[in-house]
Amino acid sequence: IKPNNTKIQVAEPNLMAFSAYMPSIKEVAIGTKYVTNGIDNENYKMFNDAYDDSVTNSACINDIANLIVGNGLVNLNKGGHNPSINISFKDTSLIVLDYMKQGACTMQIIWGSEGVPAKIYHLPLETTAINLTPQMEITGYWYSYDWRRKFKYTPVFYPVFDGEIPEKGVNIMRIVIPSNEPLFPKPSWFPALRWAQDEGLMAQHSYRDIKTGFSGKKVINWVGGRGLTPTDKKQLSKDILEKFTGIDGQDTIVSINDSLENSVVVDQISPPNVNATYVNYTEESERKILIAHSYPSILLAGAKTGFSSNADEIVVATKSVFRRKINPSRRNLLSELQLIFNKIDPTIILDFE
């Protein structure tokens, strides 16, 4: 251990600096009434952003969710109650998508006048918070359209689904992935969160490079600005940027000046040659995300190649995904959904088609 006054010189690696800040899981926010997943459910937003910004991550989640849902929920008891009467294909798909994206999903259960659940609707997970007793028992959930503006969208309490008719005829069920986390499980792909964020940041850098015409940075010095007001300087800078930056900016500039002091000097700051590093990060991000999802790359490539000589490999990969990912997820989801449908009709044997 070095003394506090010892300075250690560390050489900086020649890497692409994507961001000065890499977000991490935030602590559970325990309020007087409700418990959120980070302040105002910020962890849910982080997972949503990693889904929206990463092409590979969203492709894996969408594919797996679609394979889980299949053609929707069915009753294996032929001729019996049709589950689609109570829950639509769209709501089923959104519930499963949240389950894969967030590691949990919530649904709102509306009870009918007959004393049984009549409708089941998807409820975005990020709109819910937990009602927790001192004994760490979840007794219900709080709903707010936007927790960042909860003073405008006042949270409303709904009891947890326990098979009994709630006082106001509405309660909420939450289904979580198998996890040791007591309150908020992480999604199954959480180990690849940083790689999904990297992929999104690389897309932003690519967009910026294209928008600036791959020209790097420029410093425009105009020494003839004497006498201009701060407002004039600000407007002139804006006009120059709009005219000469972006893909529509002019490549050739002709400048004719009356004197030297009115001339414009442009200093070019060439971008570093990071093509190899960029390619390496792109390939590594994709590989790590696929591993986290236990999703063979051949299934994503198969969508591009179509029928080919690797058809047998695609079949084997598909069977592997069903064995390791689809079937376990289906069992967990069905075991919880069955509790609701048992109240509707005890003869229902729920399954995904």
Side-chain angles (χ1 to χ4, degrees):
I1 301 175
K2 299 289 184 181
N4 292 334
N5 59 353
T6 301
K7 295 183 179 180
I8 302 175
Q9 297 295 329
V10 180
E12 295 185 0
N14 184 21
L15 299 176
M16 299 175 68
F18 293 123
S19 175
Y21 169 72
M22 292 298 290
S24 58
I25 291 293
K26 305 302 181 183
E27 293 292 332
V28 171
I30 302 178
T32 55
K33 291 183 178 180
Y34 34 74
V35 180
T36 57
N37 193 2
I39 298 175
D40 298 333
N41 278 341
E42 58 187 325
N43 288 328
Y44 290 144
K45 183 181 184 304
M46 181 171 60
F47 297 143
N48 277 332
D49 290 343
Y51 167 83
D52 293 334
D53 297 341
S54 170
V55 175
T56 306
N57 196 34
S58 61
C60 289
I61 291 174
N62 289 339
D63 276 9
I64 294 171
N66 288 335
L67 289 173
I68 292 174
V69 174
N71 292 323
L73 290 169
V74 295
N75 184 3
L76 295 182
N77 187 359
K78 301 299 181 181
H81 184 86
N82 188 350
S84 63
I85 296 174
N86 307 101
I87 183 169
S88 68
F89 179 82
K90 178 181 178 181
D91 283 295
T92 303
S93 299
L94 291 173
I95 287 169
V96 174
L97 182 61
D98 266 5
Y99 180 81
M100 293 310 307
K101 182 167 54 174
Q102 300 280 7
C105 57
T106 47
M107 60 208 76
Q108 188 179 52
I109 302 154
I110 311 296
W111 290 68
S113 57
E114 298 83 4
V116 298
K119 289 292 181 180
I120 304 170
Y121 296 107
H122 164 254
L123 197 63
L125 186 64
E126 59 269 22
T127 63
T128 63
I130 291 175
N131 192 79
L132 196 66
T133 67
Q135 293 75 34
M136 295 293 290
E137 179 186 1
I138 298 175
T139 57
Y141 300 93
W142 294 83
Y143 168 83
S144 175
Y145 177 76
D146 187 347
W147 283 93
R148 291 170 296 181
R149 294 186 290 172
K150 51 183 171 289
F151 294 104
K152 178 178 180 181
Y153 302 102
T154 305
V156 179
F157 174 78
Y158 295 99
V160 68
F161 176 83
D162 58 2
E164 301 296 328
I165 303 175
E167 181 180 350
K168 296 182 179 180
V170 180
N171 50 19
I172 291 176
M173 169 181 276
R174 184 178 69 145
I175 305 176
V176 301
I177 65 172
S179 172
N180 290 326
E181 296 289 339
L183 298 177
F184 301 105
K186 302 179 182 69
S188 60
W189 53 271
F190 175 75
L193 173 63
R194 299 295 182 270
W195 294 101
Q197 292 169 333
D198 281 353
E199 196 173 73
L201 290 169
M202 283 186 286
Q204 294 176 25
H205 276 259
S206 297
Y207 175 77
R208 187 191 65 184
D209 289 342
I210 295 172
K211 188 176 180 181
T212 57
F214 301 95
S215 59
K217 295 182 179 180
K218 295 182 178 68
V219 178
I220 301 177
N221 296 298
W222 183 34
V223 296
R226 187 184 300 115
L228 295 178
T229 65
T231 302
D232 293 336
K233 292 179 181 179
K234 185 176 181 180
Q235 183 61 45
L236 186 59
S237 298
K238 180 180 178 182
D239 293 341
I240 292 174
L241 287 173
E242 290 178 351
K243 188 173 184 179
F244 297 111
T245 60
I247 58 176
D248 297 324
Q250 297 182 20
D251 296 327
T252 304
I253 303 173
V254 178
S255 178
I256 301 175
N257 305 287
D258 296 331
S259 61
L260 181 63
E261 74 169 6
N262 288 328
S263 63
V264 177
V265 179
V266 179
D267 296 323
Q268 176 75 32
I269 302 177
S270 300
N273 185 13
V274 293
N275 181 64
T277 306
Y278 183 88
V279 171
N280 176 67
Y281 271 117
T282 301
E283 294 176 350
E284 193 66 12
S285 294
E286 180 178 323
R287 191 170 71 90
K288 289 295 195 296
I289 294 169
L290 289 172
I291 292 173
H293 283 286
S294 300
Y295 201 71
S297 60
I298 187 67
L299 296 184
L300 290 181
K304 296 182 288 186
T305 59
F307 295 101
S308 63
S309 58
N310 59 10
D312 291 340
E313 187 178 353
I314 293 176
V315 172
V316 172
T318 302
K319 290 181 179 179
S320 175
V321 169
F322 268 82
R323 184 179 66 255
R324 293 184 298 169
K325 199 79 175 180
I326 307 304
N327 291 336
S329 297
R330 283 182 167 183
R331 284 194 295 269
N332 190 44
L333 287 163
L334 289 170
S335 65
E336 298 295 323
L337 289 171
Q338 186 71 53
L339 298 176
I340 304 174
F341 280 90
N342 284 344
K343 292 295 178 178
I344 299 173
D345 184 346
T347 65
I348 293 177
I349 304 175
L350 206 61
D351 201 359
F352 287 104
E353 185 177 15

